[in-house]
Amino acid sequence: MRHTIYIIGIAATLWLLADVAWSQISTRRSTELPDSSARKIYLIHARTLTFDQQRNPDRQELHGEVVFRQDSAYLYCDKAYFYRLSNRMEAYGNVRMEQGDSLYLFCDSLTYDGNDMLARCMDRVYLFHNNTILSTDYLLYDRSTSEAYYPEGGYIVDPNNHLLSTLGWYYPNQKRALFQYDVQLRNYEYPADTTQIENLQPEVMVENTDTTTRPFSSVPVSLWRYPSMRDSLLSLRRPPHMEDYPDDRHNRPRMWLYSDTLSYDFGADRAQVLGPSRIFNDSATVHTTRGVYNTKMGDATLYRRSDISSRGRYAIGDRMTYNIRTGLGEGWGNVIMIDSISKGQLHGDHVLYSDFPRKATITDRALAMEYSSGDTLWLHADTLRTFQELRPVMAKDSMGQLTGDTLRMDTLNFMTAHFNVRYFRRDLQGICDSLNYNAFDSLATFVGNPVMWNGLYQITGDSIIANVDREGIHTVWIHDNAFLVQQHDTLHYDQISGQKLICYFDSSEVRKMDISGSVQTIFYPEEKDHTLIGLNQVIGTYLTIWFKKRKMDHLAIWPEPVGSLTPLQLVQSSQLYLDKFRWMEYLRPTDPDDVFRDIRMKETDKQEVVKLFDDNELNGYE
């Protein structure tokens, strides 16, 4: 036995001397063949070395604290087969490869070809690079390109992210990775690991300037305690989500991403999705096939008709930006926003939107649709804005007085439209300069030369307020310069003018009308065959009209009304129209698409504009 050990010791010494000589020769040739010299594998240490000269003279079997070096990289293991002539090796048991002071590779077994610098790592593979950890059961690592590839499933984690996929490529020099098939990314809210790890760096065997190797006895035993070092690195660098399948119930991510293909930049915390993907958190979900997502800031830039859904709200567009944390976003190109709760849609080629609080600004072919009833309202303007506001509902006592107690918080929906407003619904059409709608009390305010049509009637005034909800139009109030017109033919029109007007509707048809203040009327009574009898003109202070089947049934005017009936053949042209008469049928929207028709009011039909908004105010988002 002692003889055998003695022979092994002599063989190891001879092999060491031969390796030193080879190293000296390689060093002298390094200026001539730098590539081949840099790829040469050197045996630095082993406790025992054996080989069979007859059966396989090129294979050396090494045991105990084995150390190899190639260029600046070192490899440690318990057992190895070294093929010096073919410049390759096989390592087993607690394998560790070190490259510089920032990259460590651990596995149970490894084969390495020094010529192509390709390592095949198997079983319990861990690659540590700065604060990033790659784990798999089979890894190909190319030292020449600094590229790691796993083909059978693996994951990469850093202090804030967990990335899992079937195929994966990791590029340490570029701090970038590419993932394919069943890609999962979980983003966590943990601080970056700042623990210093210099104390864990093992003492590395180095060659002296005279190219001789440090004696075996000077190599520290701690150099080969691979599990201890690996576990220490894991304990320092392993974030709480390190497990293969992290338990979201205990370590809940702030964001999930599922994709077909994903590229991730660890230096910039940026994920680029290159296939069908889904990004979501507790409040919003994003579907996209192409986009960029910053996991640190929560910003997403989405292309190719991506969509976003958030608590009953859905948006889709050609290109969008969205912050999944703040809920702020912007969209371009045929953007559609759908609110399934309030039964409405917003369309436009440019949209600014927010989830907290909920609000949106739409421009460029802006369109609002409301379809909570059986009919749909289409409304177009140069700029549309919608927003929601929480308001308390206060408790009242038995006398109807507020008690100061809050019963609940109600969500109020508001919409504003300004400049060139046009709207269409089956029972209601109109135009104006600006509009303000409050869904809480179903009141819409129209200002700026407002014109409203209901059936055969045209209604105008300085401002119009309408009570409109999902059941239809209920009441219309006009303040100042109220004017109502109904056409019989191109020459004869029923007309009512006054200072204030209130219209009452039933099933969106005029039922009753109250007019006050300098009331003037022109009516054309008809025979049963609809032949006009004459011109009936009445002047008074107050007027009430009742309608039946969309036509005037009877009226009452008081006090002390003054009126006359002029036969049709005796009517003078000066009697045909009241002051401020305007017939603007040419402006009336006739169908949903007609709200986009760019037609402006004639100068002769314009009156002084009353504005709800200051022009400077409209330039901002608020």
Side-chain angles (χ1 to χ4, degrees), residues 471-529:
E471 303 299 330
I473 183 171
H474 298 284
T475 311
V476 170
W477 297 268
I478 299 179
H479 298 281
D480 300 324
N481 297 315
F483 209 107
L484 182 74
V485 181
Q486 176 183 250
Q487 185 182 39
H488 287 279
D489 53 44
T490 57
L491 184 62
H492 303 99
Y493 299 85
D494 289 340
Q495 304 161 53
I496 303 173
S497 70
Q499 286 303 306
K500 300 183 184 300
L501 180 147
I502 303 177
C503 286
Y504 303 94
F505 294 80
D506 185 9
S507 300
S508 296
E509 293 186 3
V510 177
R511 176 175 56 85
K512 179 185 175 184
M513 185 181 301
D514 292 327
I515 307 100
S516 62
S518 302
V519 178
Q520 299 182 57
T521 66
I522 291 179
F523 291 102
Y524 292 90
E526 295 180 349
E527 299 285 1
K528 291 184 178 181
D529 61 357

Side-chain angles (χ1 to χ4, degrees), residues 107-370:
C107 61
D108 287 348
S109 61
L110 173 148
T111 63
Y112 186 75
D113 190 320
N115 297 321
D116 57 19
M117 304 180 73
L118 181 64
R120 291 174 171 82
C121 312
M122 290 157 283
D123 301 325
R124 295 192 298 172
V125 182
Y126 288 95
L127 188 151
F128 296 84
H129 179 244
N130 295 325
N131 283 325
T132 304
I133 305 172
L134 185 157
S135 179
T136 184
D137 282 331
Y138 180 60
L139 181 75
L140 299 176
Y141 179 60
D142 190 338
R143 286 196 61 240
S144 63
T145 60
S146 189
E147 174 184 331
Y149 164 65
Y150 59 82
E152 298 177 1
Y155 64 89
I156 300 178
V157 299
D158 65 9
N160 293 97
N161 299 286
H162 184 114
L163 296 114
L164 176 71
S165 66
T166 302
L167 304 181
W169 293 260
Y170 179 60
Y171 307 90
N173 292 346
Q174 303 174 28
K175 297 181 179 180
R176 184 174 64 86
L178 177 65
F179 305 89
Q180 275 193 326
Y181 306 129
D182 299 325
V183 183
Q184 301 178 30
L185 187 155
R186 292 175 172 87
N187 179 247
Y188 297 82
E189 188 72 68
Y190 297 116
D193 185 18
T194 57
T195 307
Q196 299 296 321
I197 63 170
E198 283 76 7
N199 295 333
L200 292 176
Q201 303 291 338
E203 183 178 353
V204 178
M205 293 297 300
V206 295
E207 293 178 306
N208 300 322
T209 54
D210 59 359
T211 69
T212 61
T213 307
R214 183 181 299 180
F216 288 170
S217 60
S218 65
V219 178
V221 176
S222 61
L223 189 66
W224 288 275
R225 292 177 181 173
Y226 313 121
S228 175
M229 180 182 180
R230 183 190 64 190
D231 295 342
S232 299
L233 285 171
L234 284 172
S235 65
L236 285 177
R237 300 187 179 184
R238 178 198 294 264
H241 53 86
M242 179 70 183
E243 293 78 11
D244 288 0
Y245 295 93
D247 189 346
D248 292 345
R249 294 172 299 178
H250 298 91
N251 296 310
R252 189 167 181 81
R254 61 183 174 185
M255 183 279 297
W256 294 261
L257 188 154
Y258 295 93
S259 180
D260 174 75
T261 304
L262 174 72
S263 175
Y264 193 83
D265 187 334
F266 290 91
D269 299 305
R270 184 178 64 185
Q272 182 178 5
V273 295
L274 305 171
S277 306
R278 179 165 57 104
I279 308 170
F280 64 96
N281 62 7
D282 292 334
S283 60
T285 300
V286 175
H287 292 93
T288 183
T289 58
R290 188 62 55 87
V292 178
Y293 179 74
N294 187 298
T295 58
K296 185 175 183 180
M297 305 304 296
D299 292 319
T301 302
L302 312 170
Y303 307 93
R304 297 185 180 180
R305 300 297 293 171
S306 302
D307 64 75
I308 304 167
S309 56
S310 173
R311 298 176 181 175
R313 200 175 187 181
Y314 174 85
I316 186 171
D318 292 345
R319 180 169 67 94
M320 293 191 291
T321 62
Y322 184 70
N323 188 296
I324 202 166
R325 299 184 196 172
T326 64
L328 295 175
E330 190 169 4
W332 297 266
N334 191 22
V335 181
I336 302 174
M337 301 181 66
I338 301 174
D339 192 327
S340 59
I341 298 175
S342 60
K343 306 296 184 183
Q345 291 188 23
L346 297 171
H347 297 231
D349 285 336
H350 184 215
V351 175
L352 291 168
Y353 51 93
S354 167
D355 286 329
F356 315 106
R358 284 195 171 184
K359 57 183 178 180
T361 299
I362 306 96
T363 58
D364 300 337
R365 290 187 62 81
L367 174 69
M369 299 172 59
E370 200 279 334

